[in-house]
Amino acid sequence: MALVTALRRLAHARLREYSWRTPAVTSGAWRTGQRSFSTGTQPLRSDNKVTVHFINRDGEKISVKGSPGDSLLDVVINEDLDFDGFGACEGTLACSTCHLIFDEEVYKKLGPVTDEEMDMLDLAYGLTDTSRLGCQICLSKTLEGMVARVPESVADIRQSKDESA
Amino acid sequence: MAFLNHFRTAYLKSFQGDRLNKQLFFILRALHKSASSEALGISAAGEEAIPQKLITPADVGEKPRVKTLKEMPGPSTLSNFIEFFWRDGFSRIHEIQMEHRKKYGKIFKSRFGPQLVVSIADRDLVAQVLRAECMAPQRANMESWKEYRDMRGRSTGLISAEGEEWLKMRSVLRQLIMRPRDVAVFSDDVNKVVDDLIKRVCILRTQESDGATVLNMNDLFFKYAMEGVAAILYECRLGCLENDIPQETQDYIHALHLMFSSFKTTMYAGAIPKWLRPVIPKPWEEFCLSWDGLFKFSLIHVDKRLAEIKAQLERGEEVKGGLLTHMLITKEMSLEEIYANVTEMLLAGVDTTSFTLSWASYLLARHPHIQQKIFTEVTRTLGPGTVATADDVPRLPLIRGLVKETLRLFPVLPGNGRITQDDLVVGGYFIPKGTQLALCHYSTSLEEESFADALDFRPDRWIRKDSTDRVDNFGSIPFGYGIRSCIGRRIAELEMHLALIRLIQRFHIGVSPLTADVKAKTHGLLCPAAPIHLQFIEREN
Ligand code: FES
């Protein structure tokens, strides 16, 4: 169990690392297939932050700010929000643990869903008609004040509760 | 002891036999453990009873009692033994999965000597298990792989590493090759390989008297997949689809074939206890030999690229490149880790893709109406002569459906393993930590409950009416789910989509009279039990 805890911490640490690293390394340069490795500076971000209200599994509202262009997963990581198991695959569309539920009006403003996201959404627990994957949603000014609900977590089939850790 | 002797006889008997199974690797590994009188599996002890502390008042009360493994149904040890070791159950493991599902239900246990395997053959239970995964799920015992690496001073890769080591490499690699948009940029590289595939089809069919048949499609797709993966991983071409294949590529293919065709021996390499190696040296030797060959090849290509980069840097030039260049420059993994991972990724990315492409074209040939529908979709969407890229695939839902449906009917990994990292309650049974699970993807893929007319080939069952239309698919998760799912998934999908689109655009694919019904057999992976010969007839464009 200690290992698991350590790993969680490690993964978390790595996630944080990636959240600032990602823009410089992945998105842009890959697009051409050929990429240049001479620079690695982070693009400047505007100061126009967007407010997001998360509702956690206990029904509590947590209001945070994120930068336009950040994904909702980035926001969760940057703000150190503790939603157990959230974003396990670090936004690479291999899980559906970043599942979030929105109000109808917000849902309509979220932009198109890719096939890959739909495939992973099919595997999300507690899926609704207004569900999306948080790692696929990018903040923009039009989403100011949006509410995103973290769904109930899957019924825990794990039996060993580690009190000592 | 009598049993053990008995078992050893069987062991040797099937050792000479043919067709054994990669997935059961872990089982044999565990058998070895007992034979060499190491600790019996944890699971063997765990079957006794639920530890007292876990029985909470709620369990005792109105909730149904959690049952023990002892109460779990399953084939008797003896019948299982006969099934696998005398009746060559290893090659029919997918069928046995179905039989046992019918007989014993959604969850059942089987014993292979002292090793207990709990099979989960139900969509919802598989979902439960995979959703409960922790940060570093473990698939099966990979000790022999690890042993080879230690012996040669090589690193483990994503397949063979566990725990923190695994997570570290996974975190690096998934950031590079798991996001669909990061993989889409490889379209042009893959399309060049598809060009060569098409040329090869044209050459091969002229060699047959009817001018249309290509013999043994899998051989061709094997080369295509290998060339495709290498184009992405090594940033170079290997020449697999040329008339004259370069010697070092031939050597690699040989090592790869050795790895797969002699799985019976290579897997025993891990299963045969070390102290028996002097008596039966061959399996371990072959195991090492094939790994040597695979590693050698990776070293050649990685080192070549590294030398180029160094030269460029010395000349003060800007370094440009793809995946390998990125890994070599950013140094997020050590050079040894890069060697190990490109080796394992190439190993994992060839047969899996080629079997699926073989089945897909076989199914198209057997269902001309469906082929026609897909052809119509492709030509209407793309117009004649267009070379599709990843960006076009979303507009070709039937192509995606074709790959999904092929993998549903012939999941290349008919079952996957997990070693539980916590005590679990699944399907009403208490399953202690450290139990080997087998997730029965083959049987869940063919479940009527999830897929109406499950035996029918219907790519359109995957088509959505709109973006809120759900296609229930936990029954068919050929690439797995979650953080230990297939890292090469998006690359494999790209390779398959682009190859199939082009083949369908250009040819009418027909069944050759030389090929009758082709069944599946398990040989590590689910593969065609006989060669698939198909006709490629030029479409009038
Ligand atoms: S974090 Fe895994 S799919 Fe979003």
Side-chain angles (χ1 to χ4, degrees):
Chain A
M1 201 59 198
L3 173 71
V4 176
T5 320
L7 287 173
R8 283 231 170 101
R9 237 175 262 141
L10 174 79
H12 210 70
R14 295 204 68 83
L15 272 171
R16 290 162 143 283
E17 201 179 301
Y18 276 114
S19 60
W20 59 259
R21 241 205 34 182
T22 302
V25 178
T26 48
S27 346
W30 272 127
R31 302 224 161 249
T32 55
Q34 289 280 306
R35 41 205 301 209
S36 164
F37 295 92
S38 46
T39 54
T41 44
Q42 176 154 356
L44 282 174
R45 286 263 165 80
S46 85
D47 285 318
N48 305 327
K49 297 263 184 177
V50 181
T51 308
V52 182
H53 309 288
F54 286 99
I55 299 184
N56 73 10
R57 295 189 179 114
D58 298 327
E60 290 160 8
K61 190 170 177 176
I62 304 163
S63 302
V64 290
K65 283 184 191 301
S67 305
D70 275 358
S71 74
L72 285 177
L73 176 63
D74 292 334
V75 177
V76 169
I77 292 157
N78 293 342
E79 295 297 320
D80 219 351
L81 303 182
D82 185 21
F83 307 145
D84 192 33
F86 196 88
C89 79
E90 297 180 347
T92 55
L93 278 177
C95 68
S96 38
T97 59
C98 59
H99 174 202
L100 291 169
I101 299 172
F102 301 89
D103 294 336
E104 186 89 41
E105 310 84 74
V106 177
Y107 178 81
K108 284 185 194 141
K109 287 196 279 183
L110 293 177
V113 198
T114 63
D115 288 321
E116 290 86 357
E117 183 184 344
M118 281 191 273
D119 290 348
M120 294 320 295
L121 261 177
D122 285 346
L123 304 173
Y125 182 74
L127 195 68
T128 71
D129 280 349
T130 56
S131 290
R132 288 287 302 267
L133 293 180
C135 67
Q136 300 303 302
I137 291 168
C138 283
L139 289 185
S140 65
K141 265 316 210 183
T142 55
L143 294 174
E144 172 62 36
M146 76 193 299
V147 177
R149 190 158 61 77
V150 185
E152 295 278 290
S153 71
V154 47
D156 202 354
I157 60 168
R158 270 172 291 205
Q159 289 293 293
S160 85
K161 297 279 172 284
D162 190 7
E163 285 96 354
S164 60
Chain B
M1 204 55 212
F3 167 72
L4 267 186
N5 281 334
H6 202 66
F7 158 64
R8 265 187 216 139
T9 326
Y11 205 73
L12 292 171
K13 181 171 180 257
S14 55
F15 165 57
Q16 294 148 359
D18 214 353
R19 292 166 303 193
L20 280 167
N21 184 283
K22 181 189 177 189
Q23 273 166 281
L24 283 163
F25 179 81
F26 54 80
I27 292 162
L28 289 154
R29 179 67 208 176
L31 283 172
H32 141 227
K33 275 198 161 180
S34 82
S36 58
S37 72
E38 290 174 34
L40 285 176
I42 309 165
S43 38
E47 199 178 346
E48 295 310 314
I50 304 172
Q52 273 305 312
K53 65 167 174 127
L54 288 168
I55 304 177
T56 62
D59 294 330
V60 183
E62 64 285 353
K63 266 208 277 175
R65 188 178 63 87
V66 177
K67 288 174 275 186
T68 66
L69 276 185
K70 241 191 178 135
E71 297 166 85
M72 190 182 280
S76 76
T77 308
L78 186 69
S79 70
N80 211 42
F81 195 76
I82 294 170
E83 181 84 274
F84 278 89
F85 288 93
W86 266 277
R87 296 200 194 128
D88 190 26
F90 293 108
S91 69
R92 290 179 293 110
I93 191 163
H94 54 291
E95 285 165 15
I96 295 173
Q97 226 181 62
M98 303 280 284
E99 283 163 28
H100 286 177
R101 164 72 177 89
K102 262 197 211 109
K103 235 190 199 151
Y104 306 110
K106 299 174 172 183
I107 181 164
F108 53 89
K109 65 171 186 229
S110 321
R111 280 194 164 279
F112 297 83
Q115 171 72 47
L116 180 86
V117 176
V118 171
S119 294
I120 314 255
D122 173 74
R123 179 188 73 194
D124 298 331
L125 296 185
V126 167
Q128 257 185 35
V129 168
L130 290 178
R131 281 173 177 150
E133 276 184 343
C134 65
M135 287 312 300
Q138 196 182 352
R139 202 176 285 130
N141 190 325
M142 303 299 285
E143 265 173 54
S144 61
W145 287 42
K146 181 100 176 59
E147 189 187 338
Y148 168 84
R149 307 297 164 97
D150 290 344
M151 189 177 80
R152 294 275 193 265
R154 300 242 165 266
S155 162
T156 48
L158 279 191
I159 303 179
S160 49
E162 300 293 355
E164 202 171 313
E165 229 177 358
W166 170 81
L167 185 58
K168 191 194 131 219
M169 295 189 282
R170 176 87 185 193
S171 295
V172 173
L173 286 167
R174 69 179 159 205
Q175 292 299 333
L176 302 175
I177 55 166
M178 277 227 81
R179 280 198 192 82
R181 67 175 147 83
D182 293 338
V183 170
V185 300
F186 297 121
S187 291
D188 292 345
D189 298 312
V190 172
N191 268 328
K192 285 186 197 127
V193 183
V194 178
D195 292 343
D196 291 355
L197 170 72
I198 301 290
K199 272 187 223 145
R200 197 77 205 141
V201 167
C202 294
I203 293 172
L204 289 174
R205 62 181 182 168
T206 59
Q207 293 170 2
E208 291 310 304
S209 54
D210 61 359
T213 299
V214 175
L215 295 177
N216 195 358
M217 285 308 296
N218 196 61
D219 188 52
L220 179 60
F221 283 134
F222 176 94
K223 290 172 175 156
Y224 166 75
M226 183 163 156
E227 195 72 28
V229 179
I232 294 171
L233 276 185
Y234 297 148
E235 303 173 24
C236 75
R237 295 296 304 268
L238 301 178
C240 294
L241 294 162
E242 302 297 315
N243 281 329
D244 299 308
I245 301 172
Q247 190 56 44
E248 59 188 31
T249 301
Q250 279 184 38
D251 290 348
Y252 179 83
I253 294 178
H254 180 74
L256 208 57
H257 280 321
L258 186 66
M259 187 63 117
F260 281 101
S261 66
S262 63
F263 236 123
K264 63 176 186 294
T265 47
T266 54
M267 66 186 274
Y268 276 107
I272 290 179
K274 270 192 205 169
W275 55 264
L276 254 180
R277 276 187 207 153
V279 191
I280 319 170
K282 203 174 161 222
W284 178 252
E285 278 168 18
E286 282 199 357
F287 182 74
C288 295
L289 206 68
S290 46
W291 272 121
D292 287 346
L294 302 183
F295 264 100
K296 186 175 153 206
F297 192 67
S298 297
L299 260 66
I300 292 173
H301 290 283
V302 174
D303 290 347
K304 202 194 278 171
R305 184 73 200 118
L306 189 59
E308 283 165 14
I309 293 172
K310 280 190 178 146
Q312 280 176 313
L313 286 174
E314 269 162 31
R315 291 195 298 268
E317 288 170 16
E318 190 186 37
V319 177
K320 283 192 175 177
L323 183 61
L324 181 59
T325 309
H326 175 88
M327 291 195 282
L328 289 170
I329 296 249
T330 55
K331 296 197 177 114
E332 292 168 307
M333 290 189 293
S334 70
L335 193 56
E336 280 298 338
E337 286 173 336
I338 295 175
Y339 289 147
N341 278 295
V342 294
T343 304
E344 288 188 5
M345 285 197 279
L346 190 57
L347 173 73
V350 177
D351 285 78
T352 44
T353 304
S354 72
F355 291 147
T356 308
L357 280 172
S358 298
W359 286 124
S361 28
Y362 171 76
L363 288 164
L364 287 172
R366 303 270 299 202
H367 299 87
H369 293 301
I370 295 174
Q371 186 182 161
Q372 190 58 35
K373 259 174 79 181
I374 303 179
F375 171 74
T376 309
E377 181 191 85
V378 170
T379 39
R380 277 209 192 124
T381 311
L382 297 177
T386 313
V387 174
T389 67
D391 297 337
D392 297 307
V393 177
R395 294 185 292 135
L396 301 168
L398 277 176
I399 289 287
R400 295 189 93 242
L402 167 62
V403 171
K404 286 182 180 178
E405 185 70 346
T406 303
L407 281 166
R408 184 184 69 81
L409 290 170
F410 300 105
V412 81
L413 214 60
N416 205 345
R418 280 291 186 270
I419 297 175
T420 55
Q421 314 266 298
D422 277 306
D423 293 343
L424 305 177
V425 172
V426 182
Y429 291 94
F430 175 80
I431 298 175
K433 175 179 173 174
T435 303
Q436 178 74 60
L437 302 182
L439 309 177
C440 301
H441 298 316
Y442 186 79
S443 92
T444 61
S445 294
L446 296 176
E447 205 64 76
E448 269 312 300
E449 224 181 279
S450 315
F451 304 102
D453 304 317
L455 290 175
D456 293 355
F457 170 62
R458 279 179 32 201
D460 62 353
R461 72 168 85 234
W462 295 97
I463 290 187
R464 295 169 205 273
K465 289 189 281 297
D466 58 62
S467 64
T468 53
D469 184 18
R470 293 290 148 228
V471 181
D472 204 336
N473 63 8
F474 237 116
S476 176
I477 42 169
F479 296 97
Y481 171 76
I483 75 172
R484 199 142 196 175
S485 62
C486 173
I487 189 114
R489 171 181 190 165
R490 303 302 174 191
I491 292 178
E493 285 175 343
L494 182 69
E495 287 173 342
M496 295 193 282
H497 290 151
L498 296 186
L500 288 166
I501 293 171
R502 201 89 73 82
L503 287 170
I504 290 168
Q505 273 176 315
R506 171 93 185 247
F507 306 108
H508 170 79
I509 306 170
V511 190
S512 152
L514 299 169
T515 289
D517 235 11
V518 179
K519 292 255 176 318
K521 72 163 188 212
T522 310
H523 182 85
L525 305 170
L526 193 72
C527 53
I532 294 173
H533 314 302
L534 297 175
Q535 291 181 332
F536 287 82
I537 299 151
E538 209 81 26
R539 293 212 181 241
E540 322 276 317
N541 272 333

